[in-house]
Amino acid sequence: QAAKVKANFVPTKEDYQKVYKRIAEIIDDAGDYDDGSYGPVLLRLAWHSSGTYDKETNTGGSNYATMRFEPESKHGANAGLDVARNLMEKVHEEFPWISYGDLWTLAGVAAVQEMGGPKIPWRPGRIDGVAAQATPDGRLPDASQGADHVRNIFYRMGFNDQEIVALIGAHALGRCHRDRSGYEGPWTFAPTTVTNDFYRLLFDEKWVWKNWDGPKQLEDKKTRSLMMLPTDYVLVQDKTFKKFAKAYADNEDLWRQDFAKALATLFELGVPTQQFVSSEPWLLPTVDELNS
Ligand code: CCH
C-alpha cells in the first residue's frame, strides 16, 4: 500500500479537506440504507476505534486503527462496523497516504458536522499500527449494565461524569440493529440530525420495558417506536448523571459545546502529542460552507 504513495508527499490541510469532502459525499449517498445516511455508523466506527483507550497502561485509542485486524474486528461490540470500514476502504484507495486512524476519526468529524452538529476540532497524525497493538475484548461499554459499569469504562479513558453524559448524547443519531447488537430501533424521530433530543426524550417521555424476546431495552409508552438502552436510562436514574442530562435537555447550545469538546478529546486518545502535525487542532469547513 505504501508503495502507492508518492515519495516525499506531505499532505496539507487542503488535502485533508479533500478527504473530508469525499467522506461527506459518501455519507449522503446512502440510498435506502437505514435512515438514508451513513453518518451514524461512521461516527460509531470513530468512537469504537478511540474508546478502547486505557489511561493507566496508555494502550488502545485511535492511533493504530487496530480494528482492521482480527480478533478486534470480530469483538461483539464492533458487530456491523464492517459496513463503515468498507466505506472508508474506498476512500483510502483514493487517498492512500492517509492513515486509517486519521481517516476513521475524520469520518466521525465529518459525520457530526454534516449532520448539522457543532465543529469538532481535529488534526492528523495517527499512524497505522499492527495487530499486536490491538486491545483485548471488553474495553467498550456493555449496554445491558448500570451506572458503575459506565463510570468504570469511561473513567478508564480519562473522562468525568459531565463528559460521559455529553458523549452519550450521540445516541440522538442512528439506531440499534437486531442483527448487530441484538437491540432494535432509533432513539429519536430525527436520527440523521444532530440534536439534544436524546436528553429531551429521556425526560419528556414515559419509558417502559419492552415486552419482547430480545435483550432488555426500554420503549416510549406513547408511540412505542423509540428506544433507550439500559445504559442510556441510567443517565436519568443516577443523581449526578441526571443533573448533567437535565442541563443538556434544557440547553442545546451548552450540549453542543460540551459534546464537541469531549468528542475531540475522545478522538485523540492514545495518540502521542508529538505525532500531531499541528500544535492546535483544526476546524474544518462543512461542504455547505465550502460551496457558499
Ligand atoms: Fe453507542 N451504541 N453506546 N455511542 N452508538 C449503539 C449505536 C450507536 C453504547 C451502545 C450502543 C456511545 C456510547 C455508547 C453511537 C455513538 C456513540 C448501539 C447499537 C449500541 C448497543 C449498535 C447496533 O445495533 O448497530 C453504550 C453502551 C454506550 C455507553 O455507555 C458514544 C460515546 C457514542 C459517540 C460519541 C452511534 C452514532 C450509534 C448508531 C450507529 C448506527 O449504525 O446507526
Side-chain angles (χ1 to χ4, degrees):
Q1 216 120 29
K4 278 197 281 179
V5 184
K6 250 203 318 215
N8 303 329
F9 176 69
V10 181
T12 63
K13 194 169 176 180
E14 283 64 42
D15 290 307
Y16 287 101
Q17 225 151 271
K18 280 183 200 155
V19 183
Y20 177 108
K21 206 169 154 238
R22 187 73 195 95
I23 297 167
E25 284 163 11
I26 289 176
I27 287 173
D28 276 347
D29 195 20
D32 288 340
Y33 174 81
D34 273 4
D35 305 287
S37 170
Y38 286 121
V41 77
L42 286 173
L43 174 57
R44 189 160 202 246
L45 173 65
W47 136 239
H48 278 206
S49 66
S50 311
T52 54
Y53 184 65
D54 171 26
K55 65 174 185 183
E56 296 303 326
T57 56
N58 196 25
T59 55
S62 67
N63 196 26
Y64 300 127
T66 49
M67 206 200 296
R68 289 171 296 147
F69 310 115
E70 285 184 25
E72 190 178 336
S73 58
K74 296 264 159 61
H75 287 170
N78 293 331
L81 290 181
D82 52 314
V83 171
R85 290 197 304 273
N86 291 340
L87 290 169
M88 289 305 97
E89 196 56 47
K90 279 189 250 158
V91 179
H92 196 268
E93 279 165 22
E94 207 176 315
F95 304 96
W97 46 265
I98 195 170
S99 73
Y100 281 91
D102 282 345
L103 177 60
W104 292 353
T105 52
L106 182 59
V109 168
V112 170
Q113 295 190 173
E114 296 300 315
M115 292 190 286
K119 286 283 168 68
I120 310 300
W122 180 89
R123 55 189 161 166
R126 296 158 193 79
I127 55 176
D128 289 337
V130 295
Q133 286 157 327
T135 46
D137 201 357
R139 289 217 176 170
L140 292 162
D142 168 359
S144 71
Q145 298 209 42
D148 287 353
H149 169 77
V150 173
R151 284 200 170 90
N152 287 338
I153 293 280
F154 282 90
Y155 286 179
R156 191 208 65 224
M157 295 175 222
F159 289 111
N160 62 30
D161 285 358
Q162 172 258 312
E163 293 165 318
I164 293 171
V165 178
L167 284 169
I168 296 177
H171 283 171
L173 299 165
R175 56 172 58 243
C176 296
H177 304 78
R178 196 78 206 263
D179 59 340
R180 296 182 188 175
S181 60
Y183 297 97
E184 180 62 46
W187 289 267
T188 68
F189 292 112
T192 63
T193 308
V194 178
T195 65
N196 68 339
D197 288 358
F198 170 80
Y199 307 103
R200 295 196 317 127
L201 288 159
L202 265 175
F203 286 98
D204 292 352
E205 296 308 317
K206 186 160 169 52
W207 295 93
V208 295
W209 293 106
K210 184 180 171 80
N211 188 3
W212 74 328
D213 63 354
K216 256 182 95 172
Q217 68 175 62
L218 298 117
E219 62 184 8
D220 69 304
K221 199 170 178 216
K222 210 190 301 163
T223 73
R224 300 196 181 269
S225 56
L226 301 178
M227 70 95 58
M228 289 288 167
L229 298 165
T231 45
D232 298 319
Y233 202 54
V234 303
L235 301 190
V236 288
Q237 292 174 310
D238 179 274
K239 231 180 103 201
T240 312
F241 285 156
K242 187 176 178 179
K243 185 185 73 181
F244 294 116
K246 184 79 177 91
Y248 295 145
D250 291 344
N251 187 339
E252 184 163 44
D253 282 340
L254 176 71
W255 173 65
R256 287 170 68 94
Q257 279 171 34
D258 287 356
F259 179 63
K261 200 154 172 271
L263 200 61
T265 303
L266 174 68
F267 289 169
E268 294 200 348
L269 292 180
V271 190
T273 315
Q274 68 272 17
Q275 266 180 230
F276 288 117
V277 307
S278 143
S279 60
E280 286 300 318
W282 302 335
L283 295 181
L284 295 173
T286 63
V287 168
D288 276 354
E289 285 168 345
L290 283 173
N291 292 340
S292 69

